[in-house]
Amino acid sequence: MGFTRVQLEEHYGREVPDLLPDPLRLLFVGINPSLRSAATGAHFSGSGNRFYPALHRAGITGHLIRAANGFSDDDLAELTSRGIGITNLWPEATARADELTREQLRTGRDRLTATVAEHRPTVVAVVGITAYRTAFGLPRATTGEQESPWEGTRLFAAPNPSGLNAHSSVDDLARAYGEIAEAAGIAAESAAG
């Protein structure tokens, strides 16, 4: 499904509903939805986004989710049956994550804390180290496991899957996300490849 620039811009400020299965074992936290995600209703749906290819390569999903046109029923079932949820630090769509202010990212941490308190995920993974540093007030944080402010929930900072992040390949993302999934008790699918 193609969108014109004008059609995408109509989605500025719209929210994409959180995906919060019960039980929630692993909660991936993006920075905020893209305009395409707002248009399709599916998180990480941009054509250059490497989130779902990395999940599949890591064996976290049994099939490659193609969210460019929204989630299929099979895609949603694949994520929710494994206890994988998705939310964002800031709920409103923008063209680029760097449009967000420090205050919005810090407010996002409070929003995330409320989500964790309500849904009690085993693991939370914030994808985007720069946004993590700002939201959590930790300017020197590196990727990997962090000290969690939430009792009973482990916290990780992971690389951003956006195609704009030239520092991480799909293989790098798959390794990082695979370790996080293992911490959440999500076994790798043997059929992934």
Side-chain angles (χ1 to χ4, degrees), residues 7 10-16 33-35 38-39 90-94:
Q7 288 171 322
E10 291 172 358
H11 294 277
Y12 252 97
R14 292 206 181 147
E15 296 184 18
V16 177
S34 68
L35 297 178
W90 188 253
E92 297 174 354
T94 60

Side-chain angles (χ1 to χ4, degrees), residues 90 94 97-108 134-135:
W90 188 253
T94 60
D98 62 8
E99 295 176 51
L100 299 179
T101 66
R102 289 174 135 357
E103 292 74 29
Q104 287 171 315
L105 291 172
R106 289 186 181 136
T107 299
T134 302

Side-chain angles (χ1 to χ4, degrees), residues 84-96:
I84 298 169
I86 306 172
T87 189
N88 291 286
L89 286 169
W90 188 253
E92 297 174 354
T94 60
R96 293 176 53 110

